[in-house]
Amino acid sequence: MKRYIFRAAITAVTGIFLLLSFVSCGKAGYQYNNLISEEDMSEFLEIMVSADIPDLDAKAVLEYVNIYSNGDFSRKTLVSGWQQTTKSYQKIYDYTNAINQYTKRKFEDINCRQAAFMLYHSFFQAQESEKRMEQKESRELPEYLEEESYKYEILFGRIEMDGTVENTVLNAWRSNGAVFGEGSVHLVSLWGVEDGLVINYHAGLMVEEEGGVIFFEKTDPILPFQLSRFPSIDEMKSYLLGREGVSDQNAVFIDDRPV
């Protein structure tokens, strides 16, 4: 009898440990930080310094972050510090609320590609062609980056579809002599297809850390800046592909490496 009770106890304890292990390993979601307090921005600055991002670029982006953190949407909606989501991609922000706050009191803002380029441009090289494309986004970069707008167009310009999304983007970069840096900061880009053109949906920067990666992004025009912590690159990719409106034909790159 005692033997059966002992076996039952062992079985119960084993079941509890398996359950705890499942809950721990199966925990969904990611951590994010909207960079709205001095402590948050100091941590972001430390990340940029450790990634060897030039002071001029770090300061330029922090100015935009500071402008946003003092805006109506930020002050009324966001909270400081690291927060936890429950899904691999979770719709956190109310765009209607954000645009309404913006129209009440407009402020200087940038989009995801502009924010990423401002921090990454010194790590990227390409060949400047005589025929320079003049898109609105590149013209809106800070004045000190005016001479590097061709890099922006090479990195994020629309491309005629030729085969797969992955090959289309890689061939366009190679034909322009694109060379991506091998430092500790990496450009992350998400691409898809619209009307026969391969377009950039989203871009941000990734820095590896012990136990995972940190991803910096401007989540969307008008919406917040965000640092996110993911346990792996695969989790970050799932997050990116969870964005609204991503076509079935897509590709995610870390620098020029498909993931």
Side-chain angles (χ1 to χ4, degrees), residues 52-251:
D52 296 322
I53 290 173
D55 292 344
L56 180 61
D57 300 327
K59 180 181 178 182
V61 169
L62 280 173
E63 286 179 359
Y64 282 104
V65 173
N66 191 53
I67 290 170
Y68 196 93
S69 68
N70 286 295
D72 291 341
F73 180 78
S74 180
R75 290 188 290 104
K76 294 178 180 180
T77 308
L78 306 179
V79 295
S80 63
W82 288 92
Q83 311 299 315
Q84 176 71 44
T85 69
T86 59
K87 301 176 182 178
S88 60
Y89 183 86
Q90 188 164 318
K91 190 174 180 180
I92 300 169
Y93 314 110
D94 184 334
Y95 186 84
T96 302
N97 183 17
I99 195 68
N100 287 341
Q101 297 294 336
Y102 172 77
T103 54
K104 290 178 183 177
R105 191 173 70 179
K106 292 187 178 182
F107 56 88
E108 290 187 67
D109 198 19
I110 53 179
N111 65 25
C112 62
R113 287 172 291 279
Q114 291 166 331
F117 184 77
M118 289 167 67
L119 296 180
Y120 190 74
H121 72 98
S122 64
F123 301 91
F124 176 73
Q125 302 299 323
Q127 297 171 354
E128 182 176 6
S129 64
E130 294 180 1
K131 185 180 179 182
R132 291 177 59 177
M133 296 172 285
E134 291 291 338
Q135 293 189 25
K136 183 180 178 182
E137 283 187 16
S138 59
R139 293 198 303 269
E140 292 174 343
L141 291 167
E143 186 176 349
Y144 79 93
L145 290 174
E146 181 178 349
E147 295 301 316
E148 295 188 65
S149 61
Y150 71 95
K151 290 184 181 180
Y152 188 94
E153 302 296 349
I154 290 170
L155 274 176
F156 302 122
R158 295 177 175 230
I159 315 166
E160 289 285 345
M161 184 78 169
D162 182 18
T164 65
V165 174
E166 181 180 304
N167 287 337
T168 298
V169 176
L170 287 175
N171 289 338
W173 284 341
R174 289 166 184 161
S175 67
N176 286 284
V179 178
F180 293 77
E182 297 182 355
S184 54
V185 63
H186 304 277
L187 179 72
V188 177
S189 56
L190 167 65
W191 297 79
V193 181
E194 285 186 11
D195 300 324
L197 292 174
V198 175
I199 66 170
N200 179 267
Y201 282 143
H202 195 54
L205 291 185
M206 183 194 83
V207 176
E208 296 182 75
E209 65 173 1
E210 186 176 355
V213 297
I214 293 180
F215 180 61
F216 166 73
E217 63 184 317
K218 181 67 162 63
T219 52
D220 255 316
I222 310 300
L223 294 181
F225 291 90
Q226 181 174 298
L227 279 180
S228 301
R229 273 197 166 101
F230 298 98
S232 68
I233 289 174
D234 286 342
E235 291 292 329
M236 181 184 68
K237 180 179 179 180
S238 295
Y239 165 81
L240 291 167
L241 294 178
R243 294 175 61 86
E244 294 183 3
V246 177
S247 68
D248 293 335
Q249 294 175 288
N250 58 66

